[in-house]
Amino acid sequence: MTTPRFLEVEAKFAIDETTAAPELTTLPAVEKIGETVEHHLSAIYYDTADLRLTRSKITLRRRTGGKDDGWHIKLPSDLGRIELAAPLTEPSQIPDEIMSNIRAIVRTAPLEPIAQVDNRRVESILLNADDAPVAEFCDDHVTAWSLLPGGERTSWREWEVELAGEMPGTEEGTELIRQATTYLIAQGARVSSSPSKLVSALGRSQENAPLPPHLAGILLPEGDPAFAVVEALRANRDSLISWDPRVRRDEWDSVHQMRVATRELRSHLETFEGILVSDELDYIEDELKELARILGEARDAEVVEERFHDLLDSDATGLIDDTAAAHIKDDMRAEYNEAHARIVDTLNSDRYLALLDTIDQLIAHPPVVDPTAEVAEGEESGGKPAKPSEVLYDHLAEAYKKLMKRHQRVVDNYGDLELPLHQREDYVHDMRKTAKKLRYAAEAVGEASKKLKTGKLARSCKSLQSLLGDFQDAVTARDRLADLAQDARERGEDTFAYGMLYQREMDNAAAALEGYDDVVADIKRGFKKL
């Protein structure tokens, strides 16, 4: 079932009860006022006891009355907010299509009512010269109750201007919101200090709610080497969870970004082993590796599909027959759809939710080595305890050493034509994975230590990662062309087109390595500066 989805772009204004409604046809984009209707709306908002959704700037409500009664969830977005809707059901039966968007945040915690918001709304449709809707203007008279401990009843009036029709996400829409804001302020309104009716309804009662697990733990001093590691893990954890619902909705590039967050999280755990010490680390690393593998199946199919389309679009020979073109164009999409379905099954599993819980506990209670014990050991041996920057540098140096070891293996073996092609290419692929780990480590260390300027090193590693990523994409696409050719051969079809494109990807892989030596030299210079 496809969940209705909307991009919500709006501006909210606080207004006195006695202020007259504005004349909105003075706005350049508004030619006339369309239908004006009064609605009586009543919404119950749901969240966990520790307000996991509210703290993530997500609202979940069940609303009756008006033209769109039902379940609604609003998610943060770069342009505004994404609103998803589902039909009205019983209060205790939150639809699966709604729950899937918040499963990574809520997990197994029960959802319960946290506020009731009743609203007498006078809604007007604003039309342009072509009688097309450009916005909705709502004059809201709100009464709300916070159901949290210490919650109170509050009332207020507010205006909302929400873009409609084709306007959300456009420059014209942005300009209309700007003009409306200027005009309504001139009419006595004030830009609302609250991002939503729910936040206004809860008020200070939010302070009475407990913190969710990943925010309820101990705070490390910024000078502690573990502080940098934990903050890096926290950022990766937040990224992983933010991409989860987008992957479920199959948004563009979402699988790639969730895979990046998964790999970066695992890389930090491996690179900074010894700063954090726990048996749980191996479990988390293994589970993240499996999650990255499942995401990788879909990502590889996605990348290969894009490359195949580019190969077809750029072909100037005219030698690709229609049958081969159809398979090259369509077969990877079917493979991606199957792989994406496996991802969704994984994200719905108890195993995945348990992994997220364990990561949260690790962040809340990081298993750091007791600094007091380290000092005592240093004093007994007559030495001084290592400074935080020295500890971080040692871990960074170890990651750099691993990269140089793999680089030497590439230098010694890639040109050896007596070795199998895939073995030589695996050496290059290992180089890319190690460069990625060094980059992640450099970024984490640079954010934590003012003494270690790791920016150049991180940028050089990113350049190498990109260069070798192009190489690996060409290799992956080439191998899939070989598979398609074998399938075509078994069907008795012409395989010439597959062989021609196979050779093009061989050439693309070779071209990707042309800047390899220069980028490695940049990495060496970047590390030497430390």
Side-chain angles (χ1 to χ4, degrees), residues 180-192:
T181 299
T182 300
Y183 173 67
L184 293 177
I185 289 176
Q187 301 304 304
R190 304 174 300 281
V191 174
S192 177

Side-chain angles (χ1 to χ4, degrees), residues 134-147:
V134 294
E136 295 177 356
F137 175 76
C138 298
D139 189 349
D140 290 341
H141 299 260
V142 183
T143 301
W145 296 263
S146 170
L147 305 179

